[in-house]
Amino acid sequence: MNSFTPPLPIVSFSGIGKRFAVAGGELEAIRAFDLDIADGESIALLGSSGCGKSTLLRLLIGLDTEFDGEIRIDGKAVRGIGSERGIVFQEHRLFPWLTVEQNIDLGQVNEKLTSAERTRRIEQLIQLVGLDGFQHAYPHQLSGGMAQRVAIARGLVASPRILLLDEPFGALDALTRQQMQEELLAIRARAGITSLLVTHDVEEAIFVADRVVVMAPRPGRIKRIVSIDLPHPRNRNGYEFNRLREELLFELTGDGDYQAPPPRIENLPLDRLAY
Ligand SMILES: Nc1ncnc2c1ncn2[C@@H]1O[C@H](COP(=O)(O)OP(=O)(O)O)[C@@H](O)[C@H]1O
Ligand SMILES: [Mg+2]
């Protein structure tokens, strides 16, 4: 008999709830959050400030173990932090007194590797994130975008199963931000990595994600999951990109159900220019 077993998701959140004790009672930060992330997927968790995105990442990282429901990685329940999860935050969190390669090395302190293997992995990661020649530079000698590349390299050096990014480009200027979104896609492709990116930026979510998980606030919960079927590289000015932008903005801010615009008139010669 031919029986098909679907592959195990890399990450599985089931029935996640999270409450914080606050002055005067309890704050329900997350309610009934369910999500499976497949091998190789690029997920964006999109939501306004305070809807529980960072809280969810903290639970997945294993920094907070007090919650309802279960989070599994490769089928195993999460218990504390571990090298199968690499993390990048909005601030690069590099040590100013360490060089680029020493900062990256910190990502593999818990790995059982010889010093030759560690050096080889650092070299590979420096190549991967495009920082060749900056091995011995200190953080103050790097631009904001370069510092985030180092942070990504540190997040990947222990060969995690999934890379978690919490608003990683939020502090960068608009142009660098766009370049880093492209760079993230290139790194994802080269490293063959699964990723979960937290963002409040609709365009960023559409540009990088296979699926956008839209969160609603108070309590933080999933409002909708939108698949982005556009080929890469994605054109931020394309018709479908803009339609998705409008739809997702509506999901973030509007009430009721999104009404798609009427179909556009096809075959106008000018229409081609939209792509
Ligand atoms: N340690 C904490 N104690 C009390 N409330 C918290 C704590 N951490 C987060 N919160 C609250 O939980 C909600 C979600 O926060 P957070 O996950 O940081 O949101 P986001 O990352 O989406 O901006 C917010 O209302 C925040 O104030
Ligand atoms: Mg946050």
Side-chain angles (χ1 to χ4, degrees):
M1 253 208 359
N2 212 351
S3 70
F4 173 74
T5 324
L8 212 55
I10 287 204
V11 170
S12 151
F13 293 92
S14 58
I16 304 304
K18 173 70 191 174
R19 291 159 196 276
F20 290 110
V22 290
E26 240 181 11
L27 183 140
E28 188 181 11
I30 311 284
R31 180 187 290 175
F33 185 93
D34 288 308
L35 181 70
D36 282 353
I37 303 177
D39 196 2
E41 248 193 322
S42 171
I43 299 283
L45 199 56
L46 174 70
S48 52
S49 181
C51 72
K53 306 180 299 296
S54 295
T55 301
L56 272 165
L57 273 203
R58 283 178 60 81
L59 303 184
L60 175 55
I61 293 164
L63 288 171
D64 184 344
T65 50
E66 297 280 300
F67 59 93
D68 297 327
E70 193 149 62
I71 304 177
R72 292 174 174 273
I73 298 182
D74 288 319
K76 289 196 285 290
V78 165
R79 305 253 185 275
I81 58 174
S83 62
E84 63 301 333
R85 287 147 288 169
I87 307 138
V88 179
F89 297 98
Q90 179 168 335
E91 331 80 60
H92 55 67
R93 302 193 186 186
L94 303 177
F95 288 103
W97 58 87
L98 298 181
T99 62
V100 164
E101 54 182 21
Q102 289 166 337
N103 268 291
I104 295 173
D105 196 26
L106 287 178
Q108 52 185 354
V109 282
N110 295 322
E111 302 301 289
K112 293 190 184 68
L113 298 171
T114 64
S115 87
E117 284 167 333
R118 284 166 71 138
T119 307
R120 196 174 54 84
R121 287 216 42 93
I122 293 168
E123 279 168 12
Q124 283 173 346
L125 265 300
I126 283 177
Q127 293 281 336
L128 183 83
V129 300
L131 282 176
D132 219 7
F134 289 90
Q135 284 82 336
H136 306 298
Y138 286 89
H140 76 269
Q141 297 171 310
L142 307 175
S143 68
M146 289 162 81
Q148 277 310 53
R149 286 170 198 252
V150 180
I152 292 173
R154 184 186 50 194
L156 288 174
V157 75
S159 305
R161 297 282 286 149
I162 185 164
L163 183 66
L164 313 174
L165 307 110
D166 193 350
E167 314 242 11
F169 312 135
L172 304 175
D173 65 84
L175 192 61
T176 307
R177 191 181 175 119
Q178 289 196 0
Q179 286 165 348
M180 286 304 295
Q181 291 160 1
E182 287 163 27
E183 190 58 31
L184 174 64
L185 289 177
I187 291 168
R188 266 183 49 81
R190 282 181 233 134
I193 186 90
T194 308
S195 58
L196 174 58
L197 171 89
V198 161
T199 185
H200 59 252
D201 181 334
V202 170
E203 176 175 318
E204 180 164 285
I206 302 170
F207 193 76
V208 305
D210 300 324
R211 285 192 294 154
V212 178
V213 178
V214 186
M215 302 277 295
R218 288 179 298 278
R221 60 202 186 278
I222 296 180
K223 186 168 184 204
R224 253 190 81 192
I225 298 181
V226 178
S227 291
I228 311 291
D229 294 324
L230 298 174
H232 292 284
R234 291 176 177 165
N235 177 357
R236 298 172 199 264
N237 301 312
Y239 175 88
E240 184 58 16
F241 199 107
N242 276 301
R243 198 197 57 71
L244 283 162
R245 193 190 330 246
E246 192 181 302
E247 180 175 348
L248 289 176
L249 266 176
F250 179 89
E251 292 294 355
L252 278 185
T253 57
D255 287 326
D257 293 330
Y258 174 72
Q259 302 287 328
R264 66 194 163 129
I265 301 160
E266 299 288 345
N267 302 326
L268 284 176
L270 277 178
D271 179 60
R272 287 273 142 235
L273 294 177
Y275 295 91

